[in-house]
Amino acid sequence: MKVRSMKYIYLIFGLVISTTFTINAQEIVSPNKNIKAIVSKKESDKNSFGQVYFKILYKNKSKYIEIIPNSPLGILRDDQQFTDNLKLISESKSKEVNQKYEMISGKRKWCDNLGTEKVFKCINSNNEPLNIVFRVYNDGVAFRYEFTNKSNSLVNVIDESTTYVFPSTTNRWLQTYTDSYEGFYPFSDTGKSNDNKNNKQEWGFPALFKINNNPIWVLISEANISGNNCASKLNNSKNPNQYKVRYASPRDTFKQTGVKTTLPWNSQWHTLIIGGLSDVVESTLITDVSEPNKVEEINWIKPGAVSWIYWAYNHGSKDYQKVVEYIDLAVEMKWPYVLIDWEWDVMSNGGNIIDVVNYAKSKGIKPMIWYNSGTSWLEPTPNDRLLTPEKRAKEFAWLNKMGIYGIKVDFFAGDQQDMMKYCIAILKDAAKYKIMVNFHGATVPRGWARTYPNLMTTEAVYGAEWYNNNTVLTDKAAAHNTTLPFTRNVVGSMDYTPVTFTNSQHLHSTSYAHELALSVVFESGFQHFADRPEGYKSLPSEPKEFLKNVPVSWDETKLLDGYPGEKVIIARKKGNQWYLGGLNGNEEIQTLKINFDFLGTGNFKLKLIKDGENDKSFAVEVIKVKKGDLLNVECLPRGGFVAVVEK
């Protein structure tokens, strides 16, 4: 009798749970039918207003698995709440989104913005409208909020109730939030931070999750931020498995919370890249949902390799003679660019900025120069030449007259709305003067490279320049380097400043072949090769020739194998050649296995440059391969390899 009673209670409880979120439940399905997003509303007993939720299902072995349980949606203005007081009044029919577009730099030249869209029209308890737009792609989900009514007066969008809920057994790789995005992505299976600096439990984008024990991964970020948005972050302080979206915090010189805007208005796209690890690494979802190219003429935008002075000396470019050495290095290595870093405005020891620019041009090298954004750390100069449209016009006209091809802008003050406006203003104005841009000390990429293709790369990474600052990277570099392809570099070009063989202020522990492989594994429209001239000039002929010829923009990208923090093999295609890069993130010898299923028909020649007898030597092999072959490459601890495959 007692058992039957308990069964009855469980049955009733199950019926309650199963019906809680079925009211007004509607689904959106990806074109390949592998991903479903379901939008529903939990109604209160007294009226038809309540909280709107979404959940995501993924087809694994012909069965749908719930990977994101019901998760709250909603947004908050200072004058209106659109959170737990919403009514779903209608939804649009499913609409195909289908655009093909070209990227000048990035992991793939031709991209497909292909998905299914539905618009859910809501009103709040004050009868004010809100649209929630969902798109479901073959490799993920994107959604955003839209206020559709019009107003001439400013409203303040201050917060969201958007929350990503995960099963408790989810594995995760998240970076403690900092506005420079220069940190590690440590593994956690609890969602709790081991970083005593992260007592707020705040996390930066992108954030990587592996769902339960399934081979299903989710990378959360955001895209298509405009001057009417601020950037956001995640917070799981209330529940370690519930990650709430929070807007950038006010700062000392900018007290605003959230966004001030007139209506109509839309939020950024909240993005979830979903699938196997290869789906995540190869995805272009961030640029797919971003605004198309706004730069009419683009033939002047040229990705390329750059020689870079800062790393070796932990300083800028005020020594004319040292800058000349890096121009000569670019000539020898056939790299098209040289970056003249901070303090060029006080250059001495034989010449000034005009002299060194003229020297570079006389050698066929295109110069680029550094600027302080003038908004944060003001010590390095020049620091106040870009802050207003008038100053930018004057400066960019001068750069055109001198023959400067690009700028690196550093030390932005954070993720607030004014910084988003400032970054976009720099990109727009630079494009008018045919100047390419590299953002440092800035927010993580959020799709601007599609809209403004003169944005060639962004730092927002704990990169090789940290060898200048402390000893941390010496021990962590190998594992960190094998995590970045699955996290930071997925969402956009990453200016890690790689491939250094000598030591800066602190030691390397990665092998020379590992360093060489970073030129392929890490994608960046400007690839700043950071070592001192002798580091490259003393290389054996094969790796030296490889660095002279390795592309920095790609027609196609494929993940061949990998796991965060342990290993990675990436294949990138340019023309008729495939370039492969493999990294061992472990402290022990590891055999990396190349599967050549990605090749077309016929026979191919593979030139392999791998670890030699020790971590400062190379071994070279030439091997015939074909589609379906397997090749084992033994890597030293923290080692790696590169290869070129051609018919």
Side-chain angles (χ1 to χ4, degrees):
M1 184 68 181
K2 190 179 291 184
V3 172
R4 292 175 64 188
S5 298
M6 289 302 293
K7 284 184 177 179
Y8 179 76
I9 291 170
Y10 288 144
L11 177 61
I12 296 299
F13 180 72
L15 287 172
V16 170
I17 292 298
S18 65
T19 58
T20 298
F21 292 98
T22 58
I23 300 171
N24 294 329
Q26 300 294 338
E27 68 178 33
I28 315 103
V29 183
S30 63
N32 65 4
K33 312 301 183 188
N34 283 343
I35 301 175
K36 286 184 181 180
I38 298 175
V39 176
S40 60
K41 184 168 69 65
K42 181 182 178 181
E43 295 188 0
S44 67
D45 294 333
K46 294 182 179 180
N47 57 54
S48 59
F49 293 93
Q51 183 86 55
V52 176
Y53 296 81
F54 77 100
K55 65 179 176 180
I56 298 175
L57 284 68
Y58 187 85
K59 186 184 284 186
N60 184 34
K61 298 179 180 179
S62 74
K63 179 182 177 182
Y64 282 105
I65 298 173
E66 185 178 86
I67 59 171
I68 306 286
N70 281 302
S71 300
L73 293 166
I75 195 163
L76 186 66
R77 299 194 325 231
D78 62 350
D79 66 325
Q80 294 284 336
Q81 178 178 326
F82 300 82
T83 54
D84 58 358
N85 62 336
L86 293 174
K87 178 194 288 188
L88 279 168
I89 57 173
S90 69
E91 93 231 13
S92 68
K93 292 182 179 180
S94 292
K95 180 182 77 172
E96 182 186 65
V97 177
N98 192 351
Q99 297 175 324
K100 198 175 187 70
Y101 65 95
E102 182 181 3
M103 291 292 292
I104 295 176
S105 60
K107 65 184 78 171
R108 184 174 296 113
K109 182 176 182 180
W110 289 105
C111 303
D112 290 312
N113 178 20
L114 177 63
T116 306
E117 179 180 288
K118 265 192 178 183
V119 180
F120 296 89
K121 293 184 180 293
C122 306
I123 56 171
N124 71 359
S125 50
N126 294 328
N127 207 35
E128 289 290 315
L130 171 71
N131 285 356
I132 306 175
V133 184
F134 266 83
R135 289 184 184 175
V136 182
Y137 291 81
N138 292 339
D139 59 355
V141 174
F143 63 91
R144 74 179 184 186
Y145 303 101
E146 297 177 347
F147 293 125
T148 55
N149 53 344
K150 294 182 180 180
S151 77
N152 293 322
S153 57
L154 289 175
V155 298
N156 191 182
V157 185
I158 56 176
D159 196 10
E160 295 187 17
S161 55
T162 308
T163 303
Y164 302 99
V165 178
F166 286 94
S168 60
T169 52
T170 295
N171 292 336
R172 47 208 103 184
W173 290 260
L174 285 79
Q175 181 185 115
T176 296
Y177 177 77
T178 170
D179 56 22
S180 69
Y181 295 87
E182 295 180 46
F184 296 103
Y185 293 83
F187 167 80
S188 170
D189 57 5
T190 66
K192 296 179 181 178
S193 177
N194 293 321
D195 184 351
N196 57 18
K197 296 179 181 178
N198 192 18
N199 54 5
K200 295 181 180 179
Q201 290 286 119
E202 288 190 337
W203 312 96
F205 292 124
L208 180 65
F209 302 84
K210 183 176 183 291
I211 308 300
N212 289 338
N213 296 316
N214 299 304
I216 303 169
W217 299 74
V218 178
L219 185 79
I220 297 177
S221 196
E222 58 185 11
N224 201 43
I225 284 182
S226 73
N228 273 337
N229 304 123
C230 63
S232 66
K233 52 195 172 184
L234 297 174
N235 183 289
N236 70 335
S237 58
K238 291 185 177 179
N239 184 317
N241 300 307
Q242 297 181 9
Y243 293 83
K244 181 186 176 301
V245 170
R246 282 194 177 173
Y247 289 163
S249 305
R251 65 177 191 274
D252 291 343
T253 56
F254 190 75
K255 304 295 185 182
Q256 176 182 304
T257 297
V259 172
K260 289 189 177 179
T261 181
T262 56
L263 304 181
W265 174 87
N266 58 263
S267 73
Q268 65 272 46
W269 286 102
H270 302 281
T271 61
L272 303 95
I273 300 173
I274 301 169
L277 268 181
S278 60
D279 297 308
V280 172
V281 171
E282 298 166 20
S283 174
T284 57
L285 184 61
I286 298 299
T287 50
D288 290 349
V289 299
S290 294
E291 290 293 317
N293 173 26
K294 293 184 178 180
V295 181
E296 292 184 5
E297 184 186 342
I298 58 174
N299 59 5
W300 53 274
I301 303 173
K302 304 288 186 184
V306 189
S307 67
W308 183 51
I309 190 173
Y310 174 87
W311 185 85
Y313 301 102
N314 199 18
H315 227 282
S317 303
K318 63 181 179 180
D319 188 324
Y320 172 85
Q321 300 299 334
K322 283 187 169 60
V323 179
V324 165
E325 290 178 14
Y326 281 81
I327 294 169
D328 294 340
L329 172 65
V331 173
E332 180 170 341
M333 297 300 293
K334 300 180 181 178
W335 300 336
Y337 300 106
V338 64
L339 175 63
I340 305 166
D341 216 277
W342 66 13
E343 299 176 317
W344 55 259
D345 56 324
V346 289
M347 189 180 294
S348 61
N349 193 22
N352 58 27
I353 183 62
I354 295 175
D355 297 322
V356 84
V357 166
N358 288 336
Y359 180 80
K361 292 191 295 183
S362 74
K363 297 291 185 176
I365 302 301
K366 298 175 180 178
M368 301 186 289
I369 60 177
W370 179 97
Y371 286 92
N372 190 324
S373 77
T375 64
S376 179
W377 183 29
L378 303 181
E379 180 181 341
T381 59
N383 63 13
D384 184 17
R385 301 196 185 191
L386 305 180
L387 281 169
T388 66
E390 295 76 19
K391 288 181 178 181
R392 288 192 293 274
K394 178 182 178 182
E395 196 71 9
F396 292 161
W398 178 63
L399 296 184
N400 279 173
K401 183 179 179 181
M402 270 203 300
I404 298 291
Y405 289 79
I407 57 173
K408 171 182 173 181
V409 189
D410 210 340
F411 305 133
F412 289 90
D415 279 341
Q416 296 81 10
Q417 183 183 8
D418 66 330
M419 289 298 100
M420 302 300 102
K421 285 183 177 179
Y422 186 28
C423 288
I424 292 170
I426 289 171
L427 292 171
K428 285 182 177 178
D429 290 347
K432 296 174 187 175
Y433 292 86
K434 298 184 178 180
I435 292 171
M436 294 173 283
V437 178
N438 169 15
F439 284 143
H440 258 235
T443 196
V444 76
R446 287 173 163 90
W448 290 335
R450 180 183 178 191
T451 314
Y452 304 100
N454 57 320
L455 175 59
M456 307 306 293
T457 191
T458 301
E459 186 185 28
V461 65
Y462 198 96
E465 72 172 46
W466 277 91
Y467 284 116
N468 292 324
N469 302 329
N470 55 48
T471 61
V472 173
L473 200 55
T474 298
D475 295 327
K476 289 191 174 183
H480 181 51
N481 293 345
T482 49
T483 303
L484 291 172
F486 307 104
T487 51
R488 164 61 183 86
N489 211 182
V490 172
V491 299
S493 288
M494 179 178 77
D495 197 17
Y496 179 100
T497 61
V499 191
T500 54
F501 304 103
T502 67
N503 291 317
S504 182
Q505 275 61 52
H506 300 284
L507 299 176
H508 279 75
S509 63
T510 50
S511 76
Y512 277 19
H514 182 112
E515 289 295 315
L516 187 66
L518 299 181
S519 65
V520 176
V521 173
F522 293 164
E523 182 276 313
S524 181
F526 282 153
Q527 193 74 283
H528 288 85
F529 292 126
D531 207 349
R532 49 180 53 84
E534 56 266 31
Y536 299 116
K537 292 180 179 181
S538 61
L539 287 172
S541 60
E542 288 86 356
K544 187 174 182 181
E545 286 301 309
F546 182 88
L547 281 177
K548 287 181 180 180
N549 296 295
V550 63
V552 306
S553 62
W554 305 98
D555 299 334
E556 193 174 349
T557 292
K558 290 187 177 295
L559 174 69
L560 303 187
D561 193 16
Y563 196 88
E566 296 182 8
K567 61 182 177 180
V568 64
I569 305 174
I570 286 183
R572 301 191 192 271
K573 191 178 186 183
K574 186 72 170 181
N576 295 321
Q577 293 180 314
W578 283 96
Y579 289 78
L580 276 60
L583 303 177
N584 177 10
N586 291 344
E587 300 294 314
E588 301 85 27
I589 291 173
Q590 181 175 193
T591 299
L592 300 185
K593 299 179 180 181
I594 307 173
N595 186 324
F596 290 95
D597 279 348
F598 65 93
L599 293 177
T601 58
N603 295 316
F604 294 80
K605 181 183 75 172
L606 177 141
K607 187 170 187 178
L608 178 69
I609 306 173
K610 62 179 183 177
D611 291 316
E613 293 181 355
N614 58 59
D615 63 357
K616 292 180 173 57
S617 64
F618 299 93
V620 181
E621 296 180 28
V622 178
I623 305 167
K624 290 182 179 179
V625 297
K626 62 182 183 302
K627 185 180 181 71
D629 283 352
L630 296 172
L631 178 65
N632 293 333
V633 182
E634 187 177 276
C635 296
L636 293 177
R638 304 171 300 280
F641 71 86
V642 295
V644 181
V645 185
E646 58 189 347
K647 277 206 167 183

